[in-house]
Amino acid sequence: MAAVARILAPNSAFQTRFFFLAKRFVAGDTIASALEAVRALNAEGLTATLDFLGEDVTNERDAEHTRDTYLEMLAAIEREALRTNVSVKLTALGLTIDEGLCTDHLSAIVERAARLPDPFVRVDMEGSAVTDATLRTFETVFAKHRNVGPVIQAYLKRSPRDIERAIALGARVRLCKGAYSEPEEIALRDMPSIRRSYLRMAEALLQRGTYPALATHDPRVIRAVRDFASGHGIGKERFEFQMLYGVRPELQRELARAGYNVRVYVPFGTHWAGYFYRRITERKENALFVIRSLVTR
Ligand SMILES: Cc1cc2nc3c(=O)[nH]c(=O)nc-3n(C[C@H](O)[C@H](O)[C@H](O)COP(=O)(O)OP(=O)(O)OC[C@H]3O[C@@H](n4cnc5c(N)ncnc54)[C@H](O)[C@@H]3O)c2cc1C
C-alpha cells in the first residue's frame, strides 16, 4: 500500500507520464480543457460541477493555490456563460493545516461564486478523519452564505443524524454511498445495507430537503428514487441526479432525455492519482477499462 501511495504521490513522474490512463475519468489538466468538457455536456442538456483535483495539502502555499485556481475558474465560467457550478475538497484548501484558514478560503470561493448564474459551491466529503471538521467548516460559511452545501455519505452510521441536521438548516445535500475505506465500527460495509441506508436518506431528502442531489450510477437506486418521487408527487425539478465524468455516460443522457436534471462531476488537474485510485478500486469495470487502455495503447 505504501508503495502504491509513493508511486501515485502528487507530482510524481507517474502522474505526468500515465495521464492517458486517467483520461476517461479526468477532463484534462487545465481549466481550458475542463471548460471544453463542460461545453460539450451543456450541449447535450447536462449541467456540471467542476472539481480542481487535489487533496491533503500540507502547506499554506498549496492551499492558496487551490483557492486562486477556483477563483480563476469561476471567472472563466462566468465569461463563457457555462452551465456549471464547482465542487471543492476542504483538505485541498488547508483543512488539516488550520481550520480558520480553510474557512477563509472557502468563504472567498463562495463569495465569488455568488455572482454567477449558478452560484452553488459543493463541499465534497472526504475520509472520516475530517468529517466533523468538514461539516463544521461548511456550517460556519453557510451561516453567512446560503450558496454552499455538504455531501453526506450513506455508508457512515452517523449520517442519518447529519441528514436531519442539513434538512433542518435548509442546506442542499449531495447524497452518495461513500468512496473511502472506513472501519466497520463507523461504517456499513455491505452493499445491501448501504443501499438501504442510501434510499432511506434519499426519501427524507426528497420529502423534506432542499433540492437534493442524488449521486449514484446504481440503476437499482436510480429506479427506486424515480419511483418514490413520482409516487409522492415530487416533481423532476425538485432534485437532480449526479454522476461522474466518464462513468455511465449513456445513462446520464437517457435520464436527461427523460426530463430529469442531471449534473456531471467533472474533475481536472494534474493531481489525479487519489481520485483515479478510488475509481479503479470501487468497480472492476473501471479497473478493466484501465487495463484495456494499457493493452491497446
Ligand atoms: C457526482 C458524484 C459525486 C461524488 N462525491 C463524493 C464525495 O464527495 N465523497 C465520497 O466519499 N464519494 C463521492 N462519490 C462517490 C460515491 O460515494 C461512490 O463511491 C460511487 O458513486 C460509487 O457508487 P455508485 O452508487 O455510483 O455505484 P456502485 O455501488 O459502485 O455500483 C452499483 C451499480 O452501479 C453501476 N455502475 C457503477 N459504476 C459503474 C461503471 N463504471 N460502469 C458501469 N456500471 C457502473 C453498476 O450497475 C453497479 O452494479 C461521488 C459520486 C458521484 C456520482
Side-chain angles (χ1 to χ4, degrees), residues 248-294:
R248 308 226 50 195
E250 70 300 332
L251 179 59
Q252 297 169 10
R253 282 147 187 83
E254 191 186 308
L255 286 169
R257 278 196 301 273
Y260 290 96
N261 294 324
V262 180
R263 189 177 298 279
V264 181
Y265 184 99
V266 179
F268 76 97
T270 51
H271 290 34
W272 50 267
Y275 179 83
F276 175 72
Y277 181 71
R278 286 192 291 280
R279 298 292 79 79
I280 55 170
T281 48
E282 74 194 354
R283 288 224 49 86
K284 73 173 180 315
E285 287 95 331
N286 295 346
L288 287 174
F289 172 84
V290 170
I291 293 165
R292 265 201 308 276
S293 356
L294 271 171

Side-chain angles (χ1 to χ4, degrees), residues 152-186:
I152 306 288
Q153 298 156 322
Y155 66 10
L156 287 188
K157 294 179 181 170
R158 60 176 284 164
S159 288
R161 285 193 312 279
D162 293 332
I163 286 281
E164 287 306 321
R165 172 80 188 151
I167 290 175
L169 285 171
R172 273 170 64 173
V173 170
R174 173 197 293 151
L175 181 64
C176 66
K177 286 181 183 163
Y180 297 79
S181 171
E182 302 290 1
E184 67 181 358
E185 295 78 60
I186 61 162

Side-chain angles (χ1 to χ4, degrees), residues 47 172-173 205-207 209-214 225-226 229-230 232-241 255-256 258-263:
T47 56
R172 273 170 64 173
V173 170
L205 287 170
L206 286 166
Q207 286 189 300
T210 305
Y211 192 70
L214 289 325
V225 166
R226 291 176 68 164
S230 65
H232 288 76
I234 297 164
K236 292 173 179 169
E237 74 293 348
R238 284 178 47 197
F239 64 97
E240 67 185 27
F241 286 112
L255 286 169
Y260 290 96
N261 294 324
V262 180
R263 189 177 298 279

Side-chain angles (χ1 to χ4, degrees), residues 1-294:
M1 214 42 214
V4 173
R6 233 184 353 264
I7 293 168
L8 295 181
N11 283 332
S12 78
F14 180 92
Q15 297 212 47
T16 315
R17 226 172 122 210
F18 288 91
F19 182 71
F20 73 94
L21 289 177
K23 227 172 154 21
R24 169 170 166 192
F25 305 106
V26 176
D29 52 6
T30 60
I31 293 181
S33 51
L35 296 183
E36 197 53 51
V38 171
R39 203 170 294 114
L41 291 166
N42 285 174
E44 295 194 83
L46 305 161
T47 56
T49 184
L50 275 171
D51 168 57
F52 175 53
L53 288 165
E55 48 203 90
D56 297 328
V57 305
T58 52
N59 65 71
E60 295 187 8
R61 214 189 46 240
D62 288 347
E64 277 164 22
H65 175 65
T66 304
R67 177 203 60 199
D68 292 345
T69 305
Y70 272 91
L71 296 178
E72 200 185 321
M73 206 153 99
L74 290 164
I77 293 169
E78 188 174 39
R79 209 168 41 241
E80 304 205 15
L82 293 170
R83 290 194 297 132
T84 184
N85 58 36
V86 297
S87 291
V88 61
K89 287 192 173 40
L90 295 192
T91 66
L93 289 178
L95 183 67
T96 52
I97 307 170
D98 176 349
E99 220 172 289
L101 171 99
C102 177
T103 305
D104 290 347
H105 289 341
L106 179 63
S107 297
I109 293 169
V110 171
E111 274 166 31
R112 177 63 184 88
R115 297 179 0 220
L116 270 64
D118 182 352
F120 191 70
V121 176
R122 176 71 63 192
V123 175
D124 284 348
M125 188 54 80
E126 303 175 66
S128 58
V130 294
T131 309
D132 276 323
T134 301
L135 291 175
R136 216 166 31 235
T137 305
F138 148 69
E139 280 206 30
T140 304
V141 177
F142 185 78
K144 289 204 192 121
H145 310 282
R146 292 293 158 132
N147 56 318
V148 59
V151 175
I152 306 288
Q153 298 156 322
Y155 66 10
L156 287 188
K157 294 179 181 170
R158 60 176 284 164
S159 288
R161 285 193 312 279
D162 293 332
I163 286 281
E164 287 306 321
R165 172 80 188 151
I167 290 175
L169 285 171
R172 273 170 64 173
V173 170
R174 173 197 293 151
L175 181 64
C176 66
K177 286 181 183 163
Y180 297 79
S181 171
E182 302 290 1
E184 67 181 358
E185 295 78 60
I186 61 162
L188 305 168
R189 307 266 294 242
D190 66 294
M191 191 49 81
S193 308
I194 296 173
R195 233 186 228 124
R196 271 197 301 278
S197 161
Y198 188 106
L199 285 174
R200 266 198 305 274
M201 288 187 257
E203 290 172 7
L205 287 170
L206 286 166
Q207 286 189 300
R208 298 182 285 116
T210 305
Y211 192 70
L214 289 325
T216 181
H217 313 94
D218 189 332
R220 279 207 255 172
V221 173
I222 292 169
R223 170 50 54 202
V225 166
R226 291 176 68 164
D227 289 348
F228 183 85
S230 65
H232 288 76
I234 297 164
K236 292 173 179 169
E237 74 293 348
R238 284 178 47 197
F239 64 97
E240 67 185 27
F241 286 112
Q242 294 193 350
M243 295 189 208
L244 302 175
Y245 182 78
V247 179
R248 308 226 50 195
E250 70 300 332
L251 179 59
Q252 297 169 10
R253 282 147 187 83
E254 191 186 308
L255 286 169
R257 278 196 301 273
Y260 290 96
N261 294 324
V262 180
R263 189 177 298 279
V264 181
Y265 184 99
V266 179
F268 76 97
T270 51
H271 290 34
W272 50 267
Y275 179 83
F276 175 72
Y277 181 71
R278 286 192 291 280
R279 298 292 79 79
I280 55 170
T281 48
E282 74 194 354
R283 288 224 49 86
K284 73 173 180 315
E285 287 95 331
N286 295 346
L288 287 174
F289 172 84
V290 170
I291 293 165
R292 265 201 308 276
S293 356
L294 271 171

